[in-house]
Amino acid sequence: MGNIITIAWKDLILLSRDRMAMFFLLAFPVLMGVLFGLMYQGTSQPKPGGLVVAVIDEDQSKMSEALINHLVANESLKVERLEMEAAQERIRKGQIVGMVVIPAGYGATAGVFWENDPVPLKVGRDPSRSAEAAMLDGFLMEASGKLMADRFQDTDQIRSLLDKQKIALQQDESMNPLNKMVVGQLFSSLDGLFNNLDEVSKLEDKEGAGGNPLRDNGFQFAKIESFDAFQKPTNKGPTIRSGWDISFPQSILWGVMGSAAGFAISLVRERSRGTLLRLQTSPARPWQVILGKGLGCFLATMLVLVVMVALGLALGMRPQSPVLLAGSAVVVALCFVGIMMAMSSLGTTEEGVGGAGWAINMVMAMFGGAMMPLAFMPSFMKTASDFSPVKWAIVSLEAAIWRNYTLGEILGPWAILLAIGATGFAVGLYFFQRNLR
Amino acid sequence: MNKQPMVRAIDVRKSYGDQVAVNGLTLDVPQGKTLGLLGPNGAGKTTTLHMLIGLLQPDAGQISIAGSTHVDSTDVRSLVGIAPQSLSLYDELTAEENLKFFGRLYNLRGASLQERVNWALDFSNLQDRRRHRVQTYSGGMKRRLNFACALLHEPKLVLLDEPTVGVDPQSRNHIFEGIRKLQDAGLTIIYTTHYMEEAQRLCDLVAIIDHGKLLELGTVPELIRRHGGISVLTGHCSMAPPDSWPGVWDGQVWRLETATPLETLYQHSIQTTYFTRLQIEQPDLESVFLRLTGRSLRD
Ligand SMILES: Nc1ncnc2c1ncn2[C@@H]1O[C@H](COP(=O)(O)OP(=O)(O)O)[C@@H](O)[C@H]1O
Ligand SMILES: [Mg+2]
């Protein structure tokens, strides 16, 4: 055990001195988390094309009216003001996607900044149309967020941060061209995203001439609770309380992937720099070397998870189940230790493993929903996403943060993650041992 | 003198695919002796060392260290230290951090770890740079640290694989001094090199290998006597030497080939003052290698 800890500790120190690795481990996920968090509460999503939704205003306050106006202003939504029974009937017939119930008293708490227990919006959904319902959640988030988003809409600031980092990376000579290309690609897609955001907010500025008096007041993030529209509204089901709830799980995954790639590279580096030779000739056994690496990777991944969750909490993310969240964190970290091992067998040089590892990360991220939420993906991508461990990792985190999974429900994704991790570990170990001789 | 040898190799063979790297190597290294493995690049020196320490499995043959054939067992490993030919250090760690890390792997802890790390920093003359990262070191400093890392756990057998490659003369001398200290302390050392001066200067025994084969093994004087060939005496004189002297005179230079130059001078009462300049070219390991292989070491 002593040797394993010694090796893990050494790897964590090495990691902390690797600027590149630290950027992917912490800085990048934080940027992504904040960026997407803002997006979910600030501006419009890509057009999914005409979601029809009923609004039941039981509050009849200025605030509820403002919220409805924002929903109406959203071109992707067609809003109908209905009574509960009529709405349920239309949902049952599949004519509309869902209903938004603004309960009495909503206006009273919705306007109070940092309100701990705001009256939630209730979303009734057709259980068979969950993807569209997820989109509806997004739009609701956005509409609620608009009421207070201005403070957070300073994308210019994030942007200059990103630009700086981009230049630093371009000038980093120690980075190989393949990595540079992948990272460059990543930054340009972020750039595109920001351009879209800017366009959208310009449009909005024009439309909203005269300004919304409510904008300046500062609102609590939206609190949304959903229910099966065929039943009476209850408090069960997903509870999204802020854009951070959605943005953090997917952003955390960037750090997790960064940790896996970083440690895969460091394992290959041991070989190419000759230090593996010294490890092999010491009394430490090969399995201790591997477990030491694995432990280092596990701890670094846990560090990412803890830091990101702490930041999320500070910003307003409110996990439903801290216990399940801790469990998901451990399972996700274990899974990516296995993926790290498999990645390390992708090449024999640091450049090769780094390039191939990040290429795989990008694909896993794209299909797994770390770039774009699953709900906004075309259906073929959703099918493909089942093969991405990133998807199951995000599902596990979301399950604990806002999906309200029971332990029984969360065991499925956990089992998938552990199976992927174990397979990756076995594959990586096989090639590692084979290359020793 | 019935002590078992520290290292014994019997008909050891190793190939990489078709490439035969070590081809039937048999040798003993007695305890407390320094063996030089002398051979050109690609001779199989590194492969031999790696088999001795259990990094590579021989295709055939037997290796024992201190009487044990389990060369990759923990017990044997604590007896052996290796300074690999390719520097094996973490560039992003400091000298002290590198030493502490490797020391811990050999189960050193606490005060004894600190003491050994200090010793190693003294040994490598890196005390004043102990807190600097290895990536800021010169080639010579890295070599010295690479050497010291092999000694942390006080091994009885030290394998040094080309420990002076790419170092400045000062570091080189420092490394030589270090080796002398280890010799005085009674350690057994195997030293690979393709510099014959180093083998001649440092080693009790020299094994000459080429193409994976052991060509000769012996002390330096033995090897020279057996294979070095003759010495050449050349003297410059303006008058023909007396007829009683052996050798030939071409009008300016007198030249004599003999296996025993000093005895010859004495036997024939040759007056060295007769010459304006007298040179004795004695054979060295280079000429031994040339004789054995028909090639120069530096090819
Ligand atoms: N990993 C390897 N794969 C293939 N051939 C190798 C490998 N290592 C060494 N060789 C070959 O084996 C021979 C001996 O190499 P080596 O032991 O490194 O020689 P030396 O240390 O004397 O320079 C050389 O011809 C070299 O090319
Ligand atoms: Mg060599």
Side-chain angles (χ1 to χ4, degrees):
Chain A
M1 198 61 204
N3 284 339
I4 297 173
I5 292 171
T6 299
I7 291 170
W9 179 244
K10 176 265 301 169
D11 275 323
L12 290 177
I13 291 176
L14 285 176
L15 184 74
S16 73
R17 292 183 185 170
D18 184 344
R19 268 192 322 127
M20 209 37 231
M22 284 309 280
F23 170 74
F24 280 115
L25 207 66
L26 288 175
F28 192 67
V30 168
L31 283 175
M32 293 294 281
V34 172
L35 162 68
F36 277 100
L38 296 178
M39 199 174 90
Y40 295 143
Q41 41 216 15
T43 48
S44 291
Q45 306 288 0
K47 307 269 176 300
L51 289 183
V52 189
V53 63
V55 173
I56 299 142
D57 188 357
E58 295 173 348
D59 190 36
Q60 303 285 347
S61 68
K62 264 187 179 168
M63 300 294 181
S64 65
E65 198 53 35
L67 181 75
I68 293 169
N69 284 339
H70 277 305
L71 292 177
V72 170
N74 186 334
E75 287 173 10
S76 311
L77 288 177
K78 191 153 168 264
V79 177
E80 298 179 357
R81 292 170 184 252
L82 295 172
E83 295 299 318
M84 177 68 89
E85 278 73 31
Q88 273 180 333
E89 184 61 14
R90 296 209 62 190
I91 292 174
R92 204 175 57 75
K93 289 180 180 157
Q95 291 163 338
I96 62 176
V97 168
M99 62 170 128
V100 179
V101 183
I102 307 175
Y106 169 80
T109 55
V112 183
F113 191 56
W114 295 127
E115 167 66 49
N116 275 331
D117 193 21
V119 174
L121 287 172
K122 301 196 176 198
V123 180
R125 27 163 119 231
D126 177 347
S128 66
R129 298 172 73 176
S130 57
E132 287 157 299
M135 263 183 245
L136 178 58
D137 284 349
F139 292 136
L140 267 177
M141 228 55 249
E142 165 200 335
S144 320
K146 259 180 194 156
L147 301 174
M148 64 159 295
D150 290 346
R151 279 185 327 115
F152 285 108
Q153 266 182 333
D154 191 4
T155 47
D156 285 349
Q157 213 180 337
I158 304 177
R159 210 165 183 176
S160 78
L161 243 168
L162 274 179
D163 279 345
K164 251 191 243 156
Q165 196 62 48
K166 187 172 166 183
I167 291 167
L169 288 180
Q170 277 162 352
Q171 288 169 347
D172 189 343
E173 314 226 310
S174 65
M175 205 173 161
N176 79 75
L178 185 54
N179 279 348
K180 245 183 204 177
M181 202 181 75
V182 174
V183 174
Q185 196 60 42
L186 201 61
F187 276 107
S188 9
S189 53
L190 284 180
D191 240 15
L193 193 66
F194 275 114
N195 285 336
N196 288 341
L197 289 180
D198 283 354
E199 288 304 309
V200 171
S201 55
K202 265 182 223 145
L203 265 178
E204 279 171 358
D205 286 350
K206 259 187 245 155
E207 285 166 3
N212 185 336
L214 294 172
R215 277 201 170 190
D216 302 325
N217 286 345
F219 275 72
Q220 167 63 304
F221 302 112
K223 180 171 176 181
I224 299 173
E225 291 178 356
S226 22
F227 60 95
D228 183 342
F230 301 144
Q231 323 277 312
K232 284 271 172 222
T234 67
N235 283 330
K236 297 260 166 61
T239 315
I240 299 177
R241 291 190 253 193
S242 76
W244 312 113
D245 287 356
I246 303 183
S247 77
F248 269 75
Q250 69 187 61
S251 312
I252 285 173
L253 260 293
W254 285 101
V256 171
M257 289 187 290
S259 170
F263 273 85
I265 293 170
S266 90
L267 187 51
V268 178
R269 189 178 288 155
E270 297 272 11
R271 196 194 304 282
S272 65
R273 301 264 175 98
T275 44
L276 185 63
L277 195 151
R278 228 189 256 291
L279 297 182
Q280 282 177 271
T281 56
S282 78
R285 311 317 300 185
W287 60 267
Q288 291 177 320
V289 174
I290 289 298
L291 286 187
K293 273 283 170 220
L295 179 63
C297 181
F298 177 81
L299 291 176
T301 310
M302 286 306 286
L303 175 79
V304 174
L305 284 152
V306 168
V307 168
M308 287 297 284
V309 167
L311 180 67
L313 288 175
L315 285 171
M317 181 177 87
R318 289 291 174 266
Q320 293 289 314
S321 166
V323 175
L324 288 189
L325 185 55
S328 289
V330 170
V331 170
V332 166
L334 286 175
C335 172
F336 277 80
V337 167
I339 289 174
M340 177 278 288
M341 278 302 295
M343 265 183 194
S344 74
S345 66
L346 289 172
T348 50
T349 61
E350 295 164 47
E351 290 75 20
V353 168
W358 271 106
I360 287 181
N361 274 347
M362 299 297 274
V363 173
M364 289 195 307
M366 194 160 76
F367 284 94
M371 289 183 177
M372 184 203 298
L374 286 171
F376 300 113
M377 285 184 183
S379 63
F380 83 92
M381 276 179 79
K382 267 185 227 166
T383 313
S385 74
D386 284 349
F387 295 96
S388 170
V390 168
K391 173 205 166 136
W392 297 107
I394 292 178
V395 166
S396 300
L397 295 171
E398 286 180 346
I401 294 173
W402 57 266
R403 284 186 190 272
N404 268 340
Y405 274 33
T406 62
L407 181 63
E409 288 170 325
I410 209 171
L411 285 179
W414 282 2
I416 292 171
L417 287 172
L418 291 175
I420 293 172
T423 309
F425 200 87
V427 169
L429 196 60
Y430 170 77
F431 283 103
F432 181 81
Q433 299 269 21
R434 207 182 66 161
N435 287 340
L436 277 188
R437 292 288 159 203
Chain B
M1 283 302 285
N2 57 353
K3 275 203 219 162
Q4 66 183 1
M6 187 54 129
V7 176
R8 167 163 283 176
I10 302 171
D11 199 23
V12 170
R13 290 162 195 277
K14 179 75 189 178
S15 303
Y16 301 101
D18 300 343
Q19 174 80 40
V20 180
V22 175
N23 191 0
L25 185 79
T26 299
L27 55 77
D28 279 2
V29 187
Q31 286 185 26
K33 295 288 181 195
T34 299
L35 170 78
L37 282 184
L38 180 66
N41 283 322
K45 305 183 293 292
T46 298
T47 306
T48 303
L49 287 196
H50 287 187
M51 286 191 291
L52 291 181
I53 200 164
L55 271 176
L56 287 170
Q57 201 67 40
D59 297 337
Q62 207 185 46
I63 290 172
S64 57
I65 304 283
S68 166
T69 54
H70 300 285
V71 293
D72 58 358
S73 70
T74 309
D75 285 348
V76 173
R77 282 193 173 173
S78 342
L79 285 180
V80 189
I82 184 170
Q85 179 175 3
S86 53
L87 292 167
S88 306
L89 303 165
Y90 295 102
D91 277 350
E92 301 82 3
L93 299 184
T94 66
E96 189 168 9
E97 286 167 337
N98 268 290
L99 289 166
K100 280 194 170 159
F101 171 68
F102 291 121
R104 282 200 193 95
L105 290 185
Y106 284 91
N107 292 319
L108 293 168
R109 296 285 186 279
S112 55
L113 174 63
Q114 193 57 55
E115 190 217 324
R116 288 307 295 163
V117 167
N118 267 325
W119 178 90
L121 288 167
D122 284 335
F123 184 85
S124 52
N125 201 14
L126 288 171
Q127 279 289 9
D128 51 336
R129 297 292 299 271
R130 63 194 292 166
R131 303 238 155 76
H132 294 213
R133 293 192 194 174
V134 170
Q135 62 202 10
T136 66
Y137 289 7
S138 71
M141 293 162 79
K142 287 183 188 176
R143 273 285 159 209
R144 270 142 53 194
L145 182 59
N146 194 49
F147 185 7
C149 283
L151 306 172
L152 277 168
H153 58 291
E154 304 184 76
K156 297 275 173 280
L157 169 65
V158 181
L159 310 179
L160 303 174
D161 200 355
E162 312 234 7
T164 59
V165 165
V167 308
D168 51 293
Q170 215 182 330
S171 288
R172 195 180 163 104
N173 283 333
H174 191 89
I175 290 170
F176 289 166
E177 276 171 38
I179 292 171
R180 284 268 175 248
K181 281 183 212 157
L182 301 182
Q183 288 172 329
D184 292 345
L187 270 68
T188 311
I189 300 172
I190 300 183
Y191 185 105
T192 80
T193 182
H194 60 273
Y195 297 120
M196 66 99 192
E197 305 90 341
E198 294 183 0
Q200 202 153 353
R201 175 171 168 180
L202 297 168
C203 302
D204 303 314
L205 291 168
V206 173
I208 294 179
I209 58 174
D210 192 29
H211 297 304
K213 268 196 171 332
L214 175 68
L215 301 181
E216 255 305 353
L217 173 66
T219 64
V220 175
E222 269 168 15
L223 292 180
I224 291 175
R225 200 170 334 116
R226 270 186 251 154
H227 302 284
I230 45 180
S231 297
V232 180
L233 291 169
T234 35
H236 293 253
C237 55
S238 44
M239 287 187 301
D243 289 343
S244 60
W245 294 9
V248 289
W249 186 64
D250 66 0
Q252 281 180 323
V253 178
W254 172 80
R255 192 182 142 87
L256 172 66
E257 297 187 356
T258 167
T260 51
L262 295 178
E263 285 93 325
T264 308
L265 285 178
Y266 179 75
Q267 274 167 14
H268 293 88
S269 315
I270 295 171
Q271 297 134 26
T272 53
T273 49
Y274 190 84
F275 304 103
T276 50
R277 218 172 93 210
L278 179 65
Q279 265 184 311
I280 306 178
E281 270 177 59
Q282 283 185 299
D284 54 16
L285 285 177
E286 178 72 45
S287 18
V288 173
F289 189 82
L290 192 66
R291 284 227 156 191
L292 286 170
T293 66
R295 292 182 295 122
S296 159
L297 255 177
R298 312 210 177 273
D299 285 349

